[in-house]
């Protein structure tokens, strides 16, 4: 089976967030997909199969299947547009988080995602223990979002992954207002065997609405301050969030599985 490795949310190799992509004629077993994702040991491996006019898309971390992944959706779209359907301008997906679509505009992929809710929660001592600074605000949906006082707090943060086990939320995110960008962030997912995720499209469906409201604008530019770094362009459209980015191909391989 052919597998592609794509660096998402970047136009430069070895930046952004790498994802593996397998576009298949038919589904293989869930167990085999989990094993492939574990063997890849990337934050996500995406599997896609043609379904009507679009594709059914699923995402697996090294540990388990996940309900939504932004960077692997970008990677899958890059593969489909460049190697499977080279003339397509729109790709439609059916996923565990509902229907999603991706528009292709030159080298930019504009992804239409569901918006997460900003449910306020109390700032706790456990939050401070897990990231080493006290958040100003905190919000919870699928992920936990903690707002920090400054971008320096985000850049210099030293997470305590064992303490993060006390926190609710699949992904644990921190964010602050930026100087060069509208906002900066970092995202951690130790529960999924992903200590720090390099660039996280799904969590920006929570980060973007927060900063759009705070800054009084519908579109923002976001910087994820991981070691690899990445830039996301987000537009809040009611209950949807459009997140745009580029991607580059790292490699194509044959994997030998039954």
């Amino acid at each position: 089976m052919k597998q592609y490795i794509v660096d998402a949310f970047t136009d430069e190799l070895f930046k952004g967030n790498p994802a593996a992509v397998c576009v298949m004629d038919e589904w293989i077993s869930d167990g085999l997909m989990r094993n492939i994702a574990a063997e890849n040991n990337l934050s996500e491996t995406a599997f896609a199969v043609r379904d009507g006019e679009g594709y059914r898309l699923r995402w697996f971390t090294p540990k388990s299947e996940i309900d939504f992944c932004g960077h692997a959706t970008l990677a899958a779209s890059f593969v489909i547009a460049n190697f499977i359907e080279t003339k397509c301008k729109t790709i439609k997906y059916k996923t565990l988080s509902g229907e999603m679509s991706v528009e292709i505009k030159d080298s930019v992929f504009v992804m239409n995602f569901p918006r997460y809710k900003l449910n306020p929660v109390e700032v706790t001592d456990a939050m401070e223990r897990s990231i080493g600074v006290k958040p100003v605000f905190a919000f919870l949906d699928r992920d936990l979002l903690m707002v920090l006082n400054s971008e320096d707090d985000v850049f210099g943060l030293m997470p305590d992954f064992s303490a993060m086990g006390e926190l609710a939320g699949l992904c644990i995110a921190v964010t602050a207002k930026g100087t060069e960008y509208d906002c900066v962030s970092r995202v951690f997912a130790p529960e999924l065997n992903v200590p720090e995720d390099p660039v996280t499209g799904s969590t920006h469906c929570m980060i973007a609405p927060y900063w759009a409201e705070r800054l009084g604008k519908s579109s923002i530019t976001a910087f994820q301050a991981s070691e690899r770094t990445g830039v996301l362009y987000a537009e809040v459209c009611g209950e949807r969030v459009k997140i745009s980015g580029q991607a580059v191909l790292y490699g194509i391989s044959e994997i030998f599985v039954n």
Side-chain angles (χ1 to χ4, degrees):
M1 184 167 65
K2 189 167 287 187
Q3 179 171 264
Y4 303 80
I5 306 294
V6 176
D7 290 341
F9 290 119
T10 182
D11 60 358
E12 183 180 349
L13 203 59
F14 308 121
K15 298 288 187 181
N17 201 351
V21 178
C22 298
V23 182
M24 307 176 296
D25 293 329
E26 59 185 21
W27 289 108
I28 57 178
S29 71
D30 287 10
L32 184 52
M33 286 189 283
R34 283 193 296 270
N35 285 338
I36 292 170
E39 187 77 6
N40 288 333
N41 201 31
L42 298 171
S43 60
E44 300 291 342
T45 298
F47 298 91
V49 171
R50 167 67 76 173
D51 188 334
E53 295 182 353
Y55 292 83
R56 176 74 63 175
L57 180 63
R58 298 173 69 181
W59 310 278
F60 285 78
T61 74
K63 185 177 180 180
S64 61
E65 186 171 12
I66 194 171
D67 67 336
F68 179 22
C69 177
H71 86 275
T73 303
L74 174 51
S77 301
F78 177 91
V79 170
I80 291 169
N82 284 280
F83 299 100
I84 311 298
E85 297 183 49
T86 56
K87 294 184 179 180
C88 72
K89 294 299 180 184
T90 303
I91 305 171
K92 296 181 179 180
Y93 294 114
K94 296 176 182 176
T95 79
L96 288 176
S97 290
E99 294 188 357
M100 301 177 182
S101 64
V102 179
E103 289 184 75
I104 304 156
K105 298 182 178 180
D106 297 322
S107 62
V108 176
F109 294 80
V110 183
M111 299 172 286
N112 190 315
F113 290 150
R115 171 178 176 166
Y116 283 154
K117 297 186 183 301
L118 291 161
N119 302 306
V121 293
E122 180 185 359
V123 172
T124 65
D125 292 340
M127 293 178 190
E128 186 173 359
R129 283 195 299 272
S130 71
I131 60 174
V133 295
K134 186 173 183 177
V136 181
F137 304 108
F139 303 91
L140 183 65
D141 195 331
R142 184 199 72 170
D143 300 340
L144 175 66
L145 176 62
M146 293 177 281
V147 181
L148 305 188
N149 187 55
S150 72
E151 67 177 9
D152 288 340
D153 287 341
V154 174
F155 295 147
L157 185 144
M158 299 290 288
D160 182 333
F161 295 119
S162 61
M164 279 188 180
E166 301 178 52
L167 303 181
L170 188 66
C171 295
I172 309 300
V174 296
T175 188
K177 189 177 185 299
T179 51
E180 184 178 353
Y181 300 90
D182 289 312
C183 66
V184 300
S185 68
R186 290 172 69 185
V187 179
F188 311 96
E191 183 180 326
L192 299 172
N193 288 355
V194 180
E196 180 163 6
D197 195 37
V199 194
T200 316
S202 58
T203 306
H204 276 81
C205 291
M206 196 172 186
I207 294 171
Y210 176 81
W211 287 112
E213 183 177 340
R214 285 293 301 271
L215 299 175
K217 54 202 298 188
S218 60
S219 297
I220 67 163
T221 303
F223 178 74
Q224 193 154 329
S226 63
E227 183 177 352
R228 292 175 64 100
T229 73
V231 178
L232 308 92
Y233 304 92
E235 180 184 2
V236 180
C237 307
E239 294 304 308
R240 309 290 293 185
V241 179
K242 291 183 178 180
I243 295 181
S244 302
Q246 295 177 279
V248 292
L249 179 70
Y250 171 68
I252 305 173
S253 62
E254 294 286 339
I255 58 175
F256 297 92
V257 294
N258 295 317

